[in-house]
Amino acid sequence: MLRAATEHDVDTIRRLRNQQANRDVSITSHEITADEHAAWWAKTSADPSRRVLIYERDGVAGVVNFFDLEGTTGAWGFFLDADGLAERGETLPAWIEIMREATAYAFDELGLEVLTGEVLEHNTVVRQMNRRFRFAEGEPETLYAGGREITVIPISLRKQDRRTQGKV
């Protein structure tokens, strides 16, 4: 289930985002400080072109960020409670569910026609799942962030191409 994030979720969002597994596959890979996160939340929660949603699965299990919402286009990203879900053996089902629910929200609730995002080249597991959900990859771009060279691949999904039922 997805719901809007509130002030009560801010610490949980930061805790999940700072899990090593999530930092390893993010452009921003350093541990986010409380002050840095508070500034992000203050800006994000007041921005009409953004939505932050909490994914619940026996408690908070993930976070979905929609941003650059303009007309019928927008971008997204998400992260899961990697540690908690792995401990319970629920990573794959949660991953499939959050992607289904988030893409449905993007197209059905936000009214988007095109959903974009990005994935790091070395994140082959996410790239494979994106393909299963019919996201197309664009031209890779090499960036330098946090003292490391990374290759970022843009992704996009058009509403008419999305997977709405059946197996992933």
Side-chain angles (χ1 to χ4, degrees):
M1 175 184 108
L2 294 176
R3 65 169 174 81
T6 69
E7 287 287 331
H8 300 291
D9 298 307
V10 173
D11 290 338
T12 300
I13 293 169
R14 179 174 165 255
R15 180 180 57 79
L16 297 183
R17 176 58 182 80
N18 276 335
Q19 288 179 355
Q20 189 65 52
N22 292 324
R23 291 185 6 237
D24 287 347
V25 293
S26 299
I27 291 173
T28 303
S29 62
H30 69 274
E31 190 162 335
I32 296 167
T33 67
D35 288 344
E36 182 181 4
H37 189 66
W40 169 83
W41 177 253
K43 182 179 176 183
T44 297
S45 61
D47 185 343
S49 72
R50 297 191 66 121
R51 303 283 186 290
V52 178
L53 305 176
I54 299 298
Y55 167 64
E56 293 186 331
R57 182 184 179 91
D58 297 323
V60 175
V63 179
V64 180
N65 286 297
F66 289 102
F67 52 97
D68 295 339
L69 298 171
E70 187 176 320
T72 60
T73 64
W76 82 311
F78 75 92
F79 49 92
L80 291 168
D81 176 3
D83 298 341
L85 289 167
E87 194 174 282
R88 298 191 314 261
E90 295 182 3
T91 302
L92 184 58
W95 190 2
I96 291 169
E97 188 173 59
I98 196 172
M99 287 190 73
R100 275 193 182 130
E101 290 190 19
T103 54
Y105 185 90
F107 296 121
D108 301 335
E109 299 296 321
L110 295 175
L112 301 183
E113 292 295 325
V114 178
L115 180 61
T116 63
E118 56 194 19
V119 61
L120 299 186
E121 181 181 51
H122 72 268
N123 198 348
T124 55
V125 175
V126 167
R127 291 177 65 198
Q128 181 180 17
M129 183 67 81
N130 286 343
R131 284 190 290 276
R132 288 178 177 228
F133 272 83
R134 300 186 177 151
F135 279 88
E137 291 187 350
E139 285 299 314
E141 178 183 0
T142 301
L143 303 175
Y144 296 90
R148 62 190 178 135
E149 180 180 294
I150 54 175
T151 301
V152 178
I153 301 172
I155 60 168
S156 64
L157 177 64
R158 296 178 315 161
K159 181 178 182 175
Q160 67 265 28
D161 295 335
R162 73 178 169 154
R163 185 180 295 278
T164 57
Q165 58 188 345
K167 294 185 179 184
V168 173

